[in-house]
C-alpha cells in the first residue's frame, strides 16, 4: 500500500480528467482525491497498490481527450481512514 501526490500538466482540464480518474480509481479499489488547480494543472493524491496506481496513470495517459505532458510525482504517507476516491473543489 502506497500513497502518491501527483500534479499533472498538459491538456488536463476541460477534458473529463477528474471524472475519468474517479471512474478508474473506483474500478481499481484506489482511494484519494483529485482537483483542478488555478494554473490549469490537476492535483491528485491516490492510495492503493502500486501496480494499480500505475495502471490508473496509464489509462489516463491513453484517454483520447487527455494529454499529460508532465507529472510531478512524490510518495507521501498513507492515510489509514480513507474510504473512497473523490473530486475536491
Amino acid at each position: 500500500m502506497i500513497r502518491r501526490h501527483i500534479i499533472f500538466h498538459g491538456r488536463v482540464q476541460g477534458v473529463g480528467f477528474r471524472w475519468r480518474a474517479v471512474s478508474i480509481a473506483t474500478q481499481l479499489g484506489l482511494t484519494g482525491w483529485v482537483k483542478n488547480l488555478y494554473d490549469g494543472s490537476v492535483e491528485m493524491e491516490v492510495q492503493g497498490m502500486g501496480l494499480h496506481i500505475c495502471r490508473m496513470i496509464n489509462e489516463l495517459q491513453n484517454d483520447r481527450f487527455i494529454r499529460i505532458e508532465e507529472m510531478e510525482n512524490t510518495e507521501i504517507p498513507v492515510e489509514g481512514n480513507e474510504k473512497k476516491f473523490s473530486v475536491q473543489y
Side-chain angles (χ1 to χ4, degrees):
M1 178 79 70
I2 62 170
R3 186 175 188 90
R4 301 204 83 44
H5 177 260
I6 308 169
I7 298 181
F8 297 91
H9 302 275
R11 189 177 65 212
V12 293
Q13 287 194 19
V15 292
F17 185 102
R18 294 174 299 160
W19 303 107
R20 182 80 175 114
V22 169
S23 175
I24 296 166
T26 301
Q27 290 173 12
L28 296 174
L30 300 171
T31 62
W33 52 266
V34 62
K35 70 178 178 179
N36 285 344
L37 298 178
Y38 291 108
D39 66 359
S41 62
V42 172
E43 181 179 20
M44 175 188 294
E45 284 190 14
V46 60
Q47 179 170 299
M49 300 293 293
L51 183 63
H52 291 163
I53 293 172
C54 288
R55 184 171 167 195
M56 176 188 201
I57 292 169
N58 284 337
E59 288 194 34
L60 288 168
Q61 288 174 321
N62 290 326
D63 185 281
R64 64 183 178 148
F65 298 110
I66 296 167
R67 187 176 66 239
I68 298 169
E69 295 174 355
E70 182 183 343
M71 285 189 302
E72 300 171 43
N73 193 338
T74 308
E75 191 163 336
I76 59 175
V78 170
E79 292 191 15
N81 60 347
E82 203 168 54
K83 303 283 187 233
K84 65 179 186 169
F85 191 92
S86 61
V87 173
Q88 286 190 347
Y89 297 95

